[in-house]
Amino acid sequence: MTRILGVLGLLVALYAVLLESNPAAGSLRNLIYVGNNQGRYGLVTLGAALVIIVGGIDLSIGSVVGCAAVLFGVLMKQGVHPVAAVGWVLLFGVCVGLVNGLLVTRVRLQPFLVTLCGMFVFRGAARMIGGAVDTPSVLEAHPEYAGALDALTAVLIGKNEKGVLVFPAMFALLLLAAAAVGFFLHRTAYGRYWYAIGHNELAAKYAGVNVNRQRTAVYVTCSALAALGGVLLLLNDSTISSDTAGAGLELYAILGAVLGGCSLRGGEGTAVGMVLGAMVLPVLETLVSFRGLKNDVIPAVIGLTLLLGTVTDELIRRRSRVSR
Amino acid sequence: MPTPRLAVRGARKQFPGVLALDGVSLALAAGEVLAVVGENGAGKSTLMKIVAGVYTPDAGDVELDGAPVRFATPASAIAAGVVLIHQELNLAENLTVADNLFLGRELTRGGFLRALDRRAMNARTADLLARVGLPAERALERVERLPPGEKQLVEIARALGTDVRVLIMDEPTSSLTQKETDQLYVVIDALKAAGVSVLYISHRLAEVKRVADRVVVLRDGRNAGELAKSEITHDHMVRLMVGRDLKQFYPKVKRSGTGGSAVLELRGVTFRGGPVRPVSLEVRAGEILGTAGLVGAGRTELSEAVFGVRALTGGEILINGTPARITSPADAIAAGVLLVPEDRRLHGLVLAESVGFNLALPNLDRLTSLFGVRRRAERELHATWIDRLRVKTPSAAQPVGLLSGGNQQKVVYGKWLARGPRVLILDEPTRGVDVGAKAEIYALIDELAGNGVAVWMITSDMEELLGMSDRVVVMHEGAIAGELSRAALSEEAVMRLATGGTGT
């Protein structure tokens, strides 16, 4: 609870500074823009956070996002209908998660190692299937997809047919997904199992929980969300390069999860916290640019913010432990 | 006796809830091998750890060659020449034998650079290995590649490297073959001849007879007696180890006892990581089958195999007469076989989560509807079992790790009772539980058996075993050493079987 209040306070403060810094920052257009970025980060953060709750880690998220985006574009170019292509890309995500999950649970490899390898493998795979993809060239080859692609962009991104952002659809998507994650996490037996596994895998096993199956399911969810993130990336940016698409996103996702109250030791985290945690970084990024700082400082600002948050959190935790 | 090498006088050590040592004394002469024997929990390990500086005693003195010493750490004990070799060996497996011999006190040159003086160390290594009868070429072998017996010898060699005066060996032969054990005896004889004093702890009384010059028997944290070389016999030691009054603590209603049919039956069961000797036993409806044995007899491992944690490698498990396929705890639970594990903090509870979370965890399948976990049903379950087991907790939301040991254990029972056991396996049912909660748990177990549950109780607590069991199976080194009916049940009979003696 204090964790949620903490990240909420941070968000409010960041928004306050943002709105105060520049009138343009408070424009509806900018807020929608920031909201959409939050949605995109948030979706992958949900997956990363679930994996962290069961005591794992997924470093392959960024590469899976990139690979999924390239795959999405290439499939459409090859003549797969956009809606069907979305289905295939999501299936790709499910398969990636299945492989990660099985390697972690059955072969008993360390999640860090498995997904670090995945990070390289899927980045390489993205380069192999296509250097760069863009929606204009898809439409050039298949003009008949224009309607479907516009519809997808409108529903998933919130851009009208002219490409103008009119509604934060990705943020809405995040809220929807977070509601689903929250239901599973806080209202069903599965969520209980995930917390139990994260805190004490053996006790969960001795209570009859099929630990391997639950873990695998969580990895599948995470990678499927990352694949969805890839679809969104291409729809939003219309042009992406396989070298950079989604690069580093796994770290943003992990950061969001931790800011939102997930402990890297596992067993802790809430759906609300995940959303709030994921909302911090996009605000911070806009803030940096509106303050007239160079983009180059963004990584440093992000790193310092997290460090500050972590230190504060640890100090609060220590104090509450002493007073107990 | 002249000034003893080592003297302990009136050592006392209190742990939360347990008085582990209550004024124990012993004296050890130079070049003597003194065996310390006693049942599980008699205080042997605590005494050794006090001597070796792992624990500091609450009261009492330790003297070395007549001078009082008080070791704050194992390092200071080692510096004074008192070395403890743990049951689980403390070698760095990934390093070579030579590296291990000098770990933490490497011979170095070059002042603060601490450059390793390989030549000096190699020379010394060869000497130390020779003294324990190991060939010099072992020096560069990585420890993980050595058989258990040689690892034990490396430990001894390391102790010799510190100019040891008192060597304490805790169950040194538990993982050794007969041949390796014989080699160990040779080394011990050589140590004696060199004037090293040895404190030797073992469960294996035959071994004690072979190796000890004198025996000190502990019981319930006190000296129970002492035997000179000529007096050391198996029966004599057992008689001193046991022999105390049973407290009138146990409910013991008049159950028909062995009337029911077999609910759980093991036929020639062998399992992964276990001994190859197959185990057969049965637990009947409405009885409490006690299972005794010394630490390491394989009782916990057997229960884990039945609960689906360890894979079977042979034999079969029958539930109500039909073969059951149990490959995971989930399978066991589905078959109505529930386990209260030995280590509740590791296997029994999610300590960081609440009392309610833990009570509900294995029962969520019964509390779930299409809309998730039914809140009201769950609250009812919490209230029912907190109330029926009288768990002392401010609320169901209290983290279970903050409760006392007894109340934690009640939560473990609660989560299984809420499910309704057919077979209830209890591994050390009251370990770390205070006396009041103990009596409540005993009444509960008795009531369960009275209601037809097949209870299989594994315990190292002799009073508990004698007080609660309708029938007892004794294990020794992974096999069933014998069965005792209620009428034949006595502490002496159990200990005789548990220490590898023959039955009645």
Side-chain angles (χ1 to χ4, degrees):
Chain A
M1 201 58 209
T2 51
R3 283 304 289 260
I4 290 179
L5 289 180
V7 68
L8 195 62
L10 180 64
L11 261 181
V12 169
L14 286 174
Y15 268 110
V17 178
L18 177 68
L19 296 184
E20 175 268 345
S21 64
N22 192 322
S27 70
L28 187 61
R29 236 191 89 195
N30 188 51
L31 290 182
I32 291 179
Y33 170 78
V34 173
N36 248 0
N37 271 340
Q38 289 170 330
R40 204 169 53 181
Y41 284 137
L43 283 169
V44 290
T45 300
L46 291 177
L50 289 178
V51 171
I52 288 173
I53 284 179
V54 296
I57 194 90
D58 189 349
L59 298 178
S60 68
I61 291 173
S63 293
V64 172
V65 167
C67 194
V70 175
L71 184 64
F72 183 43
V74 168
L75 281 174
M76 288 190 293
K77 239 178 183 170
Q78 302 284 328
V80 179
H81 188 272
V83 176
V86 170
W88 283 113
V89 171
L90 291 182
L91 184 66
F92 159 74
V94 168
C95 293
V96 170
L98 212 54
V99 170
N100 281 345
L102 292 178
L103 286 174
V104 168
T105 59
R106 301 287 169 184
V107 192
R108 303 203 165 278
L109 300 180
Q110 289 170 4
F112 188 96
L113 223 58
V114 168
T115 58
L116 184 66
C117 295
M119 176 172 142
F120 289 105
V121 167
F122 295 113
R123 181 62 58 195
R127 287 181 191 167
M128 270 158 57
I129 56 179
V133 288
D134 57 311
T135 43
S137 70
V138 167
L139 289 177
E140 216 168 273
H142 303 279
E144 71 274 18
Y145 290 166
L149 214 48
D150 279 348
L152 275 178
T153 312
V155 172
L156 296 178
I157 310 291
K159 283 181 176 170
N160 62 18
E161 60 276 22
K162 292 194 200 81
V164 180
L165 194 57
V166 291
F167 177 74
M170 284 199 274
F171 192 77
L173 208 56
L174 166 63
L175 292 184
L176 219 62
V181 165
F183 173 72
F184 276 98
L185 197 54
H186 304 304
R187 287 277 189 275
T188 70
Y190 303 108
R192 302 286 183 86
Y193 296 160
W194 299 340
Y195 284 122
I197 291 169
H199 273 308
N200 185 345
E201 179 182 346
L202 282 173
K205 185 178 170 189
Y206 275 64
V209 177
N210 189 331
V211 174
N212 288 351
R213 189 183 303 162
Q214 294 300 327
R215 272 228 168 97
T216 306
V218 167
Y219 277 100
V220 166
T221 309
C222 179
S223 296
L225 282 168
L228 176 62
V231 170
L232 298 179
L233 185 68
L234 182 61
L235 288 176
N236 188 60
D237 294 6
S238 36
T239 304
I240 55 145
S241 146
S242 59
D243 284 336
T244 55
L249 203 54
E250 63 281 339
L251 299 181
Y252 282 30
I254 293 166
L255 210 70
V258 172
L259 278 175
C262 293
S263 160
L264 286 177
R265 281 184 288 267
E268 274 162 45
T270 58
V272 175
M274 293 169 200
V275 172
L276 294 177
M279 286 173 70
V280 170
L281 286 184
V283 186
L284 208 57
E285 279 181 346
T286 331
L287 183 63
V288 168
S289 66
F290 271 96
R291 280 268 153 168
L293 299 173
K294 283 202 196 116
N295 269 349
D296 305 349
V297 304
I298 288 180
V301 170
I302 289 171
L304 287 174
T305 309
L306 181 73
L307 193 61
L308 201 69
T310 319
V311 170
T312 316
D313 181 56
E314 184 60 33
L315 291 179
I316 291 172
R317 201 177 289 207
R318 259 182 228 173
R319 174 162 300 178
S320 69
R321 197 176 297 151
V322 170
S323 67
R324 187 174 274 157
Chain B
M1 187 153 135
T3 310
R5 169 63 56 81
L6 174 81
V8 177
R9 269 190 277 279
R12 197 183 142 86
K13 182 74 185 172
Q14 171 92 44
F15 291 113
V18 197
L19 183 57
L21 283 184
D22 188 9
V24 168
S25 303
L26 62 77
L28 174 63
E32 182 186 33
V33 177
L34 175 65
V36 179
V37 300
E39 293 181 48
N40 301 330
K44 304 182 299 267
S45 289
T46 310
L47 178 63
M48 297 307 127
K49 285 179 178 164
I50 283 177
V51 172
V54 180
Y55 299 148
T56 44
D58 299 335
D61 304 308
V62 179
E63 283 178 11
L64 198 60
D65 290 324
V69 287
R70 182 150 269 216
F71 303 127
T73 62
S76 55
I78 291 168
V82 178
V83 181
L84 169 67
I85 297 180
H86 286 273
Q87 202 167 345
E88 313 83 32
L89 302 177
N90 284 319
L91 294 170
E93 297 261 324
N94 56 331
L95 300 181
T96 65
V97 169
D99 289 341
N100 268 284
L101 291 181
F102 291 96
L103 196 60
R105 45 193 179 80
E106 287 79 3
L107 303 179
T108 58
R109 290 184 302 181
F112 76 98
L113 269 180
R114 290 177 56 77
L116 294 176
D117 190 348
R118 288 274 175 205
R119 193 180 301 165
M121 284 196 284
N122 287 345
R124 191 117 170 72
T125 298
D127 172 48
L128 290 173
L129 291 181
R131 286 181 65 187
V132 296
L134 282 175
E137 57 266 27
R138 285 289 184 283
L140 298 179
E141 196 80 67
R142 278 151 66 105
V143 166
E144 61 196 353
R145 299 167 59 101
L146 302 183
E150 295 198 357
K151 288 183 188 173
Q152 185 82 47
L153 295 175
V154 171
E155 279 267 20
I156 295 172
R158 178 158 81 172
L160 291 176
T162 62
D163 296 321
V164 62
R165 289 195 280 173
V166 176
L167 186 63
I168 308 167
M169 306 173 100
D170 188 2
E171 298 285 346
T173 59
S174 56
S175 55
L176 303 194
T177 63
Q178 188 55 48
K179 211 171 145 220
E180 290 168 337
T181 304
D182 291 338
Q183 167 69 18
L184 183 69
Y185 294 155
V186 173
V187 172
I188 290 177
D189 288 341
L191 289 173
K192 265 172 66 172
V196 176
S197 306
V198 178
L199 266 182
Y200 191 95
I201 309 173
S202 183
H203 277 135
R204 303 185 184 181
L205 299 184
E207 239 169 52
V208 168
K209 218 157 71 183
R210 157 72 180 79
V211 80
D213 297 322
R214 206 153 47 87
V215 173
V216 164
V217 184
L218 298 187
R219 187 201 312 146
D220 296 336
R222 298 204 185 102
N223 288 75
E226 207 173 304
L227 300 172
K229 180 94 186 163
S230 58
E231 301 170 308
I232 302 175
T233 65
H234 194 273
D235 283 352
H236 210 151
M237 285 188 277
V238 169
R239 216 174 307 144
L240 287 175
M241 283 161 72
V242 299
R244 94 204 108 157
D245 299 329
L246 279 188
K247 292 176 195 134
Q248 299 306 310
F249 193 66
Y250 302 93
K252 209 71 240 162
V253 288
K254 283 102 215 134
R255 264 195 309 280
S256 53
T258 54
S261 56
V263 181
L264 173 71
E265 191 179 348
L266 275 53
R267 280 192 194 155
V269 164
T270 56
F271 51 89
R272 194 181 295 162
V276 279
R277 280 177 283 182
V279 172
S280 300
L281 59 79
E282 59 176 43
V283 192
R284 300 172 198 143
E287 76 163 347
I288 301 174
L289 172 70
T291 294
L294 298 167
V295 169
R299 297 167 298 161
T300 293
E301 291 79 2
L302 182 63
S303 73
E304 285 173 351
V306 174
F307 192 58
V309 179
R310 283 169 189 267
L312 293 197
T313 53
E316 56 180 356
I317 296 171
L318 289 83
I319 310 281
N320 281 337
T322 45
R325 216 180 104 75
I326 296 178
T327 59
S328 70
D331 291 342
I333 293 166
V337 179
L338 310 181
L339 170 73
V340 174
E342 179 181 18
D343 185 346
R344 68 175 157 267
R345 301 172 67 85
L346 188 62
H347 297 130
L349 295 169
V350 184
L351 288 177
E353 295 286 359
S354 69
V355 171
F357 182 102
N358 280 282
L359 283 173
L361 186 61
N363 301 304
L364 287 169
D365 54 336
R366 296 179 176 178
L367 296 172
T368 299
S369 71
L370 199 57
F371 305 103
V373 178
R374 288 177 289 132
R375 289 289 174 99
R376 186 181 301 169
E378 192 186 357
R379 274 200 300 272
E380 273 169 25
L381 179 133
H382 296 167
T384 306
W385 293 103
I386 289 174
D387 182 52
R388 278 193 55 183
L389 297 180
R390 279 182 276 167
V391 180
K392 290 192 194 74
T393 175
S395 77
Q398 178 84 347
V400 76
L402 298 180
L403 303 187
S404 72
N407 284 297
Q408 286 183 11
Q409 190 73 339
K410 285 183 183 176
V411 174
V412 179
Y413 280 88
K415 71 176 188 178
W416 291 137
L417 295 194
R419 227 187 147 84
R422 185 180 283 162
V423 177
L424 188 60
I425 308 174
L426 308 172
D427 194 356
E428 305 296 349
T430 61
R431 173 164 292 179
V433 168
D434 53 289
V435 176
K438 238 181 190 175
E440 289 180 62
I441 288 174
Y442 289 144
L444 179 75
I445 296 171
D446 203 63
E447 184 192 325
L448 286 171
N451 291 339
V453 176
V455 179
W456 179 19
M457 181 181 73
I458 296 165
T459 177
S460 300
D461 182 332
M462 188 60 78
E463 291 183 20
E464 186 169 278
L465 182 80
L466 300 184
M468 294 297 295
S469 309
D470 294 313
R471 199 159 58 90
V472 166
V473 161
V474 182
M475 289 183 72
H476 175 68
E477 295 186 352
I480 304 274
E483 185 181 322
L484 298 165
S485 68
R486 174 112 205 121
L489 192 55
S490 72
E491 199 160 357
E492 287 81 0
V494 171
M495 285 312 291
R496 198 175 308 118
L497 290 169
T499 52
T502 46
T504 44

